[in-house]
PDB file of all heavy atoms in Angstrom:
ATOM      1  N   GLY A 157       0.634 -43.050-151.577  1.00  0.00           N
ATOM      2  CA  GLY A 157       1.446 -44.112-150.973  1.00  0.00           C
ATOM      3  C   GLY A 157       1.055 -44.434-149.546  1.00  0.00           C
ATOM      4  O   GLY A 157       1.758 -45.164-148.843  1.00  0.00           O
ATOM      5  N   VAL A 158      -0.079 -43.891-149.082  1.00  0.00           N
ATOM      6  CA  VAL A 158      -0.548 -44.194-147.725  1.00  0.00           C
ATOM      7  C   VAL A 158      -1.343 -45.498-147.764  1.00  0.00           C
ATOM      8  O   VAL A 158      -2.259 -45.647-148.587  1.00  0.00           O
ATOM      9  CB  VAL A 158      -1.455 -43.057-147.193  1.00  0.00           C
ATOM     10  CG1 VAL A 158      -1.999 -43.387-145.811  1.00  0.00           C
ATOM     11  CG2 VAL A 158      -0.702 -41.725-147.187  1.00  0.00           C
ATOM     12  N   THR A 159      -0.994 -46.446-146.905  1.00  0.00           N
ATOM     13  CA  THR A 159      -1.737 -47.714-146.900  1.00  0.00           C
ATOM     14  C   THR A 159      -3.049 -47.536-146.136  1.00  0.00           C
ATOM     15  O   THR A 159      -3.196 -46.609-145.318  1.00  0.00           O
ATOM     16  CB  THR A 159      -0.933 -48.836-146.200  1.00  0.00           C
ATOM     17  OG1 THR A 159      -0.817 -48.486-144.806  1.00  0.00           O
ATOM     18  CG2 THR A 159       0.429 -49.027-146.835  1.00  0.00           C
ATOM     19  N   LEU A 160      -3.970 -48.467-146.395  1.00  0.00           N
ATOM     20  CA  LEU A 160      -5.245 -48.418-145.664  1.00  0.00           C
ATOM     21  C   LEU A 160      -4.987 -48.553-144.178  1.00  0.00           C
ATOM     22  O   LEU A 160      -5.609 -47.873-143.356  1.00  0.00           O
ATOM     23  CB  LEU A 160      -6.175 -49.540-146.146  1.00  0.00           C
ATOM     24  CG  LEU A 160      -7.519 -49.634-145.431  1.00  0.00           C
ATOM     25  CD1 LEU A 160      -8.357 -48.372-145.656  1.00  0.00           C
ATOM     26  CD2 LEU A 160      -8.301 -50.870-145.870  1.00  0.00           C
ATOM     27  N   ALA A 161      -4.031 -49.413-143.818  1.00  0.00           N
ATOM     28  CA  ALA A 161      -3.707 -49.594-142.393  1.00  0.00           C
ATOM     29  C   ALA A 161      -3.260 -48.262-141.776  1.00  0.00           C
ATOM     30  O   ALA A 161      -3.725 -47.878-140.692  1.00  0.00           O
ATOM     31  CB  ALA A 161      -2.631 -50.655-142.228  1.00  0.00           C
ATOM     32  N   GLU A 162      -2.395 -47.549-142.486  1.00  0.00           N
ATOM     33  CA  GLU A 162      -1.911 -46.257-141.950  1.00  0.00           C
ATOM     34  C   GLU A 162      -3.061 -45.246-141.853  1.00  0.00           C
ATOM     35  O   GLU A 162      -3.227 -44.542-140.868  1.00  0.00           O
ATOM     36  CB  GLU A 162      -0.804 -45.700-142.847  1.00  0.00           C
ATOM     37  CG  GLU A 162       0.505 -46.482-142.788  1.00  0.00           C
ATOM     38  CD  GLU A 162       1.413 -46.207-144.012  1.00  0.00           C
ATOM     39  OE1 GLU A 162       0.923 -45.633-145.019  1.00  0.00           O
ATOM     40  OE2 GLU A 162       2.604 -46.618-143.958  1.00  0.00           O
ATOM     41  N   ALA A 163      -3.891 -45.230-142.880  1.00  0.00           N
ATOM     42  CA  ALA A 163      -5.024 -44.285-142.865  1.00  0.00           C
ATOM     43  C   ALA A 163      -5.989 -44.640-141.738  1.00  0.00           C
ATOM     44  O   ALA A 163      -6.539 -43.763-141.071  1.00  0.00           O
ATOM     45  CB  ALA A 163      -5.746 -44.331-144.210  1.00  0.00           C
ATOM     46  N   ALA A 164      -6.144 -45.939-141.498  1.00  0.00           N
ATOM     47  CA  ALA A 164      -7.053 -46.376-140.428  1.00  0.00           C
ATOM     48  C   ALA A 164      -6.516 -45.931-139.072  1.00  0.00           C
ATOM     49  O   ALA A 164      -7.272 -45.443-138.219  1.00  0.00           O
ATOM     50  CB  ALA A 164      -7.213 -47.896-140.473  1.00  0.00           C
ATOM     51  N   VAL A 165      -5.211 -46.050-138.886  1.00  0.00           N
ATOM     52  CA  VAL A 165      -4.620 -45.614-137.603  1.00  0.00           C
ATOM     53  C   VAL A 165      -4.867 -44.122-137.412  1.00  0.00           C
ATOM     54  O   VAL A 165      -5.302 -43.682-136.348  1.00  0.00           O
ATOM     55  CB  VAL A 165      -3.098 -45.915-137.572  1.00  0.00           C
ATOM     56  CG1 VAL A 165      -2.442 -45.233-136.378  1.00  0.00           C
ATOM     57  CG2 VAL A 165      -2.854 -47.424-137.540  1.00  0.00           C
ATOM     58  N   ARG A 166      -4.649 -43.345-138.482  1.00  0.00           N
ATOM     59  CA  ARG A 166      -4.884 -41.889-138.370  1.00  0.00           C
ATOM     60  C   ARG A 166      -6.349 -41.589-138.060  1.00  0.00           C
ATOM     61  O   ARG A 166      -6.685 -40.555-137.503  1.00  0.00           O
ATOM     62  CB  ARG A 166      -4.481 -41.203-139.679  1.00  0.00           C
ATOM     63  CG  ARG A 166      -2.966 -41.241-139.933  1.00  0.00           C
ATOM     64  CD  ARG A 166      -2.591 -40.614-141.265  1.00  0.00           C
ATOM     65  NE  ARG A 166      -1.229 -41.012-141.690  1.00  0.00           N
ATOM     66  CZ  ARG A 166      -0.733 -40.776-142.900  1.00  0.00           C
ATOM     67  NH1 ARG A 166      -1.474 -40.136-143.802  1.00  0.00           N
ATOM     68  NH2 ARG A 166       0.477 -41.166-143.224  1.00  0.00           N
ATOM     69  N   ALA A 167      -7.232 -42.531-138.468  1.00  0.00           N
ATOM     70  CA  ALA A 167      -8.670 -42.332-138.204  1.00  0.00           C
ATOM     71  C   ALA A 167      -9.042 -42.884-136.835  1.00  0.00           C
ATOM     72  O   ALA A 167     -10.221 -42.929-136.468  1.00  0.00           O
ATOM     73  CB  ALA A 167      -9.495 -43.019-139.296  1.00  0.00           C
ATOM     74  N   GLY A 168      -8.027 -43.369-136.084  1.00  0.00           N
ATOM     75  CA  GLY A 168      -8.306 -43.832-134.719  1.00  0.00           C
ATOM     76  C   GLY A 168      -8.686 -45.290-134.623  1.00  0.00           C
ATOM     77  O   GLY A 168      -9.211 -45.750-133.614  1.00  0.00           O
ATOM     78  N   LEU A 169      -8.431 -46.053-135.681  1.00  0.00           N
ATOM     79  CA  LEU A 169      -8.791 -47.476-135.678  1.00  0.00           C
ATOM     80  C   LEU A 169      -7.555 -48.344-135.456  1.00  0.00           C
ATOM     81  O   LEU A 169      -6.438 -47.922-135.685  1.00  0.00           O
ATOM     82  CB  LEU A 169      -9.435 -47.851-137.022  1.00  0.00           C
ATOM     83  CG  LEU A 169     -10.723 -47.111-137.394  1.00  0.00           C
ATOM     84  CD1 LEU A 169     -11.132 -47.475-138.824  1.00  0.00           C
ATOM     85  CD2 LEU A 169     -11.847 -47.404-136.420  1.00  0.00           C
TER      86      LEU A 169
END
Side-chain angles (χ1 to χ4, degrees):
V158 177
T159 66
L160 178 63
E162 290 161 346
V165 169
R166 292 177 197 169
L169 299 173

